[in-house]
Amino acid sequence: AVTALRESEEKFRSIVDNSPGAIALKGLDGRIQTVNERFLEWFGFSQDDVIGRTPRELFANRFGAESSVADKEVIERQVATEREGKVKFANGTDHVLSITRFPIFNADGRMTELGTINLDITDRKRAEQEIFEKSELLQTILDETPANISLRDAEGRFEFVSQRVVSELGGVAEDYIGKSITEIFGEA
């Protein structure tokens, strides 16, 4: 039984250490009990640096304070939360994390620990910002073009109308989006 338990723990540790995210297990006092290799790599700590310490003690900045507050919320409400947070990695680069905090319950249904999984979503956030900026640029170009421009789907419903169309027909763009010509102007 001891060997089976040890093997199970080793499998679990292997899974956790090979996760693409930084994982931490904390006690109800907020103190870290264990972290995975990704946590150590991202934040530049050793196991000895983190065990028994709180996020506020480890990260002497806004991230540490926000982490401690968010941990307390999960402990009090005993439900999982997901938030985004900005943090500086050990190599000095700024990152955006998707941070999931969740309660861990024992067999009796009593919360005994708190888990956190941090996923680096920096590249996704950068891509979203680039898409937003290009969309804004395209919108400006289309709105400034001296032509009536619209885009309709396969059913003939407007997906886009330029500012020129809106200026000539009246209303606002939202009055047209999702509607067909017939819905807007009636039967011919």
Side-chain angles (χ1 to χ4, degrees):
V2 172
T3 302
L5 178 61
R6 188 174 299 125
E7 286 177 4
S8 177
E9 287 174 350
E10 287 302 316
K11 285 179 188 177
F12 176 75
R13 174 51 71 179
S14 182
I15 291 168
V16 169
D17 280 343
N18 287 288
S19 168
I23 299 173
L25 179 66
K26 304 170 193 170
L28 297 181
D29 60 357
R31 298 195 175 281
I32 295 173
Q33 296 174 351
T34 189
V35 297
N36 71 344
E37 291 299 318
R38 185 83 58 219
F39 186 101
L40 301 174
E41 173 191 327
W42 283 359
F43 302 118
F45 295 118
S46 71
Q47 285 280 352
D48 291 339
D49 294 332
V50 300
I51 303 304
R53 298 185 66 196
T54 67
R56 189 182 299 268
E57 293 169 339
L58 287 175
F59 303 99
N61 57 25
R62 192 171 124 189
F63 180 74
E66 289 173 356
S67 292
S68 291
V69 169
D71 287 353
K72 188 173 182 176
E73 177 187 344
V74 171
I75 292 167
E76 288 173 359
R77 294 180 50 222
Q78 296 191 7
V79 294
T81 63
E82 187 173 333
R83 293 196 172 109
E84 291 182 4
K86 294 182 180 180
V87 66
K88 190 175 291 288
F89 279 9
N91 65 7
T93 58
D94 292 320
H95 291 261
V96 180
L97 302 179
S98 172
I99 306 164
T100 302
R101 291 178 172 81
F102 53 94
I104 298 172
F105 300 97
N106 67 10
D108 297 329
R110 189 174 53 86
M111 184 176 175
T112 57
E113 287 131 342
L114 167 74
T116 61
I117 300 174
N118 303 282
L119 298 175
D120 187 355
I121 58 170
T122 307
D123 291 340
R124 185 185 88 199
K125 295 303 265 185
R126 230 179 257 132
E128 288 172 358
Q129 183 63 31
E130 286 176 21
I131 289 168
F132 174 78
E133 289 170 3
K134 288 180 181 178
S135 176
E136 289 289 306
L137 177 60
L138 179 59
Q139 183 70 48
T140 300
I141 292 167
L142 291 172
D143 285 343
E144 298 300 320
T145 300
N148 290 337
I149 300 172
S150 65
L151 175 65
R152 290 185 279 165
D153 64 18
E155 285 80 37
R157 291 184 303 262
F158 286 99
E159 292 183 339
F160 169 82
V161 293
S162 67
Q163 189 58 45
R164 173 97 181 219
V165 170
V166 172
S167 295
E168 289 189 15
L169 299 178
V172 294
E174 289 76 23
D175 295 338
Y176 303 94
I177 305 303
K179 296 178 184 170
S180 68
I181 290 176
T182 305
E183 289 174 295
I184 296 168
F185 299 109
E187 294 291 331

